Amino acid sequence: MRPRATVVLDGFGVLESLRWHDDALWFCDLAHGTVHRWDTRGEPETVAEVPGRAGGLGWLPDGRMLVVSMDGHCVYRREPDGSLVVHADLKDIAGGPANDMFVDRRGRAYVGNFGFDYHGFVRRRPNSMLYAPPGPPTTSVACFSPEGELLGLSEPLVFPNGMFLLDDESTLLVAETLAMRLTALPVLPDGRLGPPRPWAPLIPSVLWRSLNHPGQLGRITRRVSALLDHRAIAERSTSPITPDGIAPGQDGTAWAANALRGECVRVGPGGVILDRVATNGRALSCLVAGPDGNTLYVATTPTDDPVEGARLRGSRLEAYVLPS
């Protein structure tokens, strides 16, 4: 039986972007546009209200916080007096809502975006219908300098989402959520990103080919997938893995929050699944952190739709202490 995380905070719209900074857990509520800080005791503190829904989080070397405005298509910088100013502009880059972000030690910010109106699509049709040819639109990860200047764009990816650095910070690992894979991009000396390479496929190749097939096989596969993605079934299933937020694991592995299933998984290069932790809802973000550095935190939700999430207030922060 898989170990299960337990709920430690409740009552949010849609929790995302878990970060550990200054001995506390930080996160966004993208349904309400707020950023929160929690020292793992008592109630969390609301530290910012972000116009256009709060997305990814990070910090510059001088301690100022960066936060993505999803609908504003920009990155805000929080000044020492608490005011928000535009740090970087994605209006000519993002094909859909701006999304998760990773900020490296130098202050360079890597920002993804949906590439299209994902929620508008799935409000009308099942998620699996995205794979009818030509498939989901692609988009790029934008890299900004510590001053907010655009350094460059990655090659097109399929819904680039959670990110972190590995291989001594020479590689950016990116969750391509709708491609159901983790992809590695070399970080060039100037901070730009080189050509992507597969790091971990998270769907069986046969199923992936069937899902994208232009003929009757594809139509049948997509219809069956739509049935299996029903919440009552999906949260008790283990396949496929649709990675949303990702975080470093042990020995060069990655934890991935499974956005269509109630679980968080630890993945090795090539896609081998090393650990699975069940959650009480669909998992959107994850992080190994805490006062002792051994707790897997997971942001879960009954829906990732910000309108429905704001109404339900059913998003939770869950935790599982990893075995030593």
Side-chain angles (χ1 to χ4, degrees), residues 185-205:
L185 296 91
V187 179
L188 305 179
D190 62 1
R192 292 180 301 116
L193 299 171
R197 61 177 174 83
W199 194 83
L202 298 173
I203 182 174
S205 58

Side-chain angles (χ1 to χ4, degrees), residues 128 131-133 178-181 201-222 225 240:
S128 61
Y131 299 97
L178 293 181
M180 289 174 267
R181 65 189 175 211
L202 298 173
I203 182 174
S205 58
V206 172
L207 179 56
W208 179 247
R209 289 194 297 270
S210 298
L211 189 64
N212 291 274
H213 196 278
Q216 185 175 8
L217 174 61
R219 290 190 291 272
I220 293 172
T221 303
R222 290 188 287 273
S225 294

Side-chain angles (χ1 to χ4, degrees), residues 27-92:
F27 50 86
C28 296
D29 184 339
L30 64 83
H32 295 110
T34 49
V35 178
H36 304 268
R37 178 186 182 276
W38 184 52
D39 64 4
T40 72
R41 301 179 301 274
E43 294 298 316
E45 169 194 7
T46 301
V47 297
E49 296 184 4
V50 180
R53 296 195 293 133
L57 283 174
W59 285 264
L60 293 170
D62 63 10
R64 288 178 295 173
M65 183 180 75
L66 300 182
V67 57
V68 171
S69 171
M70 300 182 73
D71 297 331
H73 298 111
C74 68
V75 177
Y76 282 108
R77 185 179 67 245
R78 185 172 184 263
E79 296 298 305
D81 64 1
S83 62
L84 296 177
V85 299
V86 174
H87 178 77
D89 188 353
L90 290 97
K91 290 183 176 65
D92 295 329

Side-chain angles (χ1 to χ4, degrees), residues 163-165 246-250 253-255 287-288:
M163 296 172 260
F164 69 84
L165 290 172
I246 59 174
Q250 295 177 330
T253 62
W255 282 99
L287 182 68
V288 178

Side-chain angles (χ1 to χ4, degrees), residues 102-123:
F102 178 83
V103 181
D104 69 13
R105 291 189 298 175
R106 299 181 184 181
R108 297 182 300 207
Y110 298 89
V111 189
N113 72 92
F114 287 16
F116 67 107
D117 183 6
Y118 171 77
H119 289 117
F121 183 97
V122 297
R123 285 169 186 153

